[in-house]
Every structure is written in C-alpha cells, then in structure tokens.
Amino acid sequence: MLKPVLEVVSYTGFIVVAYRFMMEAFTRHENRRTFLEKRFDLALVPAAAAICYPFLLNAFHAIVGTQAVRRPPLAIAEATFILFVAFGVPFLGIALACRPTSNPGSRRLAYASVVSPTLYVLLGVVQTMIKSPIPDEVVWCAIWLAIAIWSQSARDPVAAAVPAVGGWRVVHGVTAAVLSLFVVFHLINHLFGLIGPDAHAAVMKIGRVVYRSALGEPLLVATMLFQIGTGLFLAWRWSAAAHDFQRTYQVASGAYLSAYILGHMNSVFVYARSFLGIPTDWNFATGAPTGLIRDAWNIRLLPHYALGAFFVLSHLASGLRVVLIAHGVDQRNADRLWGVCVAMSAIVAAAIIAGMTGVRVGALAS
C-alpha cells in the first residue's frame, strides 16, 4: 500500500511544480501584479485541472494495480475518489465557462478543458503511431501550458458581441438529427455488451450491413467530418460571449463531441485498420485482454467512452430543447424535459461502461 501512496504524492508534487511554472511564466510575461490579480483569479484553473488529468489516472492505476486481487476498502475508496475527481475535470470547465466576467480567452480555455478526456486519448494514439520517446504526460503538460498562455495573450474586448452563426446552426442541427439514427443504434449496440461480447457482435454485424457498405461508410464519414467542422465553428463563435448554463452546456458538449468523433475516427480508420491491421470489435473497444480498469494506458478510455456516450445524448437533448422553445414550448417545461434527458443520458452511459468493464445482466440476476 505504501508504493501507491508514494506514487500519488510524486504525481501531486509534479502537478504543483507545473502549476507554479505556469504562474511564473505568466508573471514574467506580464510583470504586473495588478494585472494578475484582475485576470488570473480563476482564469488558469481549467488549464491546471487539465494538466492534473493524466496524473489522476496514473494515481488511480497506482492504487488499483494490474492484478485482479482484492483491495482493502480504503484503497477502493481512494481509487473511486480519484476517478471521481478525474471525471470532474470537464464539468469544472463547464462551470467556469459560465462565468459572466470571463474574457473570451479565459472562457475558451474553460471550454477546451472540457475536451481533456478525449483529447488525452487522441494524444496517446498519435504518440503510439509516431513511436514518440517522450512520455504522454510531458507532451500533455507542454500542450496545456501553451494553450493557457495563448488564452491570456489576447486583450479584453471592449464589448462581447452576440455571435453571428447564420444558417450553420440549422444545418448542423438537421445533420445531427439524421446522424442520431446511427448514434442511437451504436449506443444500443454497446448496451448489448451487458449481455456479453457475442450479443454485441451479433447486433454489430447487422448494423455493419448498412454503415460498412460501399455507400454507407463514405457517406457516414463525410457527414461526421461535416459535423466536426460545423461543430467547432459554432463552438468558437458561441464561446466569444457568456451564456446561460444550458447554452454553455450545449457548446461544451458539442466541443467534446467534435474532438471525440475526430479521435474515434483516427483510432478506427488509421490506428486499428491501417497501423495495426486489426478488427475494430469488442476486444479492440474494451482493451482486451487487460481491460479498461487495470491497464495503465487503457484507463484513459473509461472516461473517454463514458463521457462520449453521455455528451452525445445530452447534446441531442440540448438541441431538442432549443427547437421546442423556438416552437412556443414554455421554457420551464423545456428545461425540465432537458433535465430528464440529461439524467437518462447518465444512466445509459453508466450502463454502457458497466458492460465494457465486465458487468453482465445474467450475473446480476443470479
């Protein structure tokens, strides 16, 4: 038990040093204490949280280990708390993005931190493909230090203008409605993992008749790329000004999905099919044979998948809320429906992750 604790302490120390370096860099850059007091009260918290993210996963793995042995209750509680904090990084970003006093740079930094879990997976895949000798954590810290410095380099605008998105929002929404058919099938397919890998494979085989066809796959890829492009465009424009919580959540979840889809397509089409030449089946998704929980690399897939399922459903619910309000539905009723949909999204995401980590419906029934 002592070794995991020492590793957690070392990770914490590294995080503190990185954060102090970041603050000192800003101090040298501006060299004005009043400026720091005005703008850096909470502005750098999203970057600090994002920097902490991989070290939280490392600390979780240090406690859980690679062997399926019974852990003391205290160790289980520590690991659960650390994973809970790691999941909290994106939601901290959403909360900070809601601040009406933030300048666009700080707000965009907060939105960027929401993408941390899926961006860390993308970084890891790219690092593996290029055979980088530099640890992922080092590259990750360098990236976020650069993003943080960039976010504070722009001057405060005189006034935050209302973003003009034209008809792109409508086109993006209509395309998302069409893609929701694939999304719903894909999530249902993963829910069959609660029965077992064979059930998942049987459902996936049926779906691949359509989305792996000569016409279906290129059309699906093109539509996904369009969603990524329009989603990032809309997120950038909307992030220029402060919004209420529902709008902020919609922008943040859309930013996460844009990065998630891009990373997922890279993992499937480039890494698995071209680089490794392996099938993208249940074993690929769950990181077999070690699984998602007890592998030092695969643990990053757990928040990546869970938040992907959660955000895609709740993002669709956010779009539905906007449509309902635009068509005369009382906003309070629309907000209540949105809240119910978000709660259901969390349940579905938890069920999918349970199946991917070995939970089976038959085992629960017995």
Side-chain angles (χ1 to χ4, degrees):
M1 188 65 188
L2 181 59
K3 183 179 178 181
V5 172
L6 292 175
E7 293 190 25
V8 171
V9 172
S10 66
Y11 294 142
T12 304
F14 182 87
I15 293 167
V16 172
V17 171
Y19 184 74
R20 288 183 62 185
F21 174 80
M22 183 168 57
M23 291 298 297
E24 289 174 2
F26 279 116
T27 304
R28 289 194 299 269
H29 177 69
E30 300 295 342
N31 198 27
R32 286 188 300 174
R33 180 173 178 82
T34 56
F35 183 81
L36 288 171
E37 291 175 347
K38 177 183 177 183
R39 295 184 62 185
F40 296 152
D41 51 348
L42 290 175
L44 296 181
V45 171
I51 288 175
C52 290
Y53 180 76
F55 299 99
L56 290 169
L57 298 183
N58 291 346
F60 173 86
H61 177 71
I63 296 173
V64 172
T66 58
Q67 302 297 322
V69 296
R70 187 177 183 84
R71 301 290 173 184
L74 179 59
I76 296 175
E78 290 174 348
T80 302
F81 176 75
I82 290 172
L83 193 60
F84 177 80
V85 174
F87 268 91
V89 170
F91 296 99
L92 175 63
I94 294 175
L96 293 175
C98 289
R99 295 177 66 218
T101 57
S102 296
N103 59 69
S106 298
R107 190 179 304 110
R108 284 168 174 155
L109 179 62
Y111 278 120
S113 69
V114 177
V115 187
S116 297
T118 192
L119 185 62
Y120 189 50
V121 173
L122 176 60
L123 172 66
V125 173
V126 173
Q127 284 271 97
T128 300
M129 290 193 298
I130 66 176
K131 297 180 172 61
S132 173
I134 307 174
D136 291 354
E137 294 85 354
V138 174
V139 178
W140 181 258
C141 291
I143 289 173
W144 279 101
L145 286 172
I147 293 175
I149 293 172
W150 166 83
S151 71
Q152 299 302 313
S153 62
R155 295 181 178 179
D156 290 333
V158 177
V162 177
V165 295
W168 288 110
R169 181 177 64 175
V170 177
V171 176
H172 180 82
V174 171
T175 308
V178 175
L179 276 176
S180 64
L181 299 175
F182 169 76
V183 170
V184 170
F185 172 82
H186 198 60
L187 294 179
I188 292 175
N189 188 183
H190 277 293
L191 285 172
F192 271 84
L194 286 167
I195 301 175
D198 292 338
H200 174 271
V203 176
M204 183 172 62
K205 184 178 180 180
I206 297 173
R208 283 183 171 181
V209 174
V210 177
Y211 66 78
R212 279 283 189 95
S213 65
L215 176 62
E217 188 169 68
L219 185 61
L220 178 62
V221 170
T223 308
M224 288 292 188
L225 291 175
F226 178 80
Q227 284 297 101
I228 294 172
T230 55
L232 291 175
F233 169 77
L234 291 171
W236 180 263
R237 298 303 295 268
W238 283 111
S239 62
H243 303 284
D244 59 19
F245 176 76
Q246 282 82 2
R247 173 69 72 183
T248 301
Y249 182 89
Q250 185 176 12
V251 174
S253 58
Y256 184 95
L257 292 175
S258 294
Y260 180 89
I261 295 171
L262 182 62
H264 193 61
M265 292 174 65
N266 175 67
S267 297
V268 171
F269 293 108
V270 181
Y271 181 59
R273 293 195 194 177
S274 302
F275 187 80
L276 297 178
I278 61 175
T280 52
D281 53 10
W282 180 260
N283 289 335
F284 173 76
T286 58
T290 53
L292 301 180
I293 300 293
R294 299 189 181 278
D295 185 88
W297 198 102
N298 289 346
I299 184 58
R300 72 182 74 188
L301 295 173
L302 194 149
H304 166 74
Y305 286 142
L307 292 170
F310 172 71
F311 278 136
V312 71
L313 291 174
S314 55
H315 186 70
L316 290 172
S318 296
L320 175 62
R321 171 185 172 273
V322 173
V323 172
L324 291 176
I325 294 175
H327 286 77
V329 175
D330 182 72
Q331 182 172 339
R332 289 176 297 180
N333 293 331
D335 288 345
R336 292 192 188 101
L337 178 61
W338 177 81
V340 171
C341 291
V342 170
M344 293 176 63
S345 300
I347 294 173
V348 172
I352 289 174
I353 288 300
M356 297 183 75
T357 53
V359 177
R360 298 291 176 260
V361 173
L364 292 176
S366 61

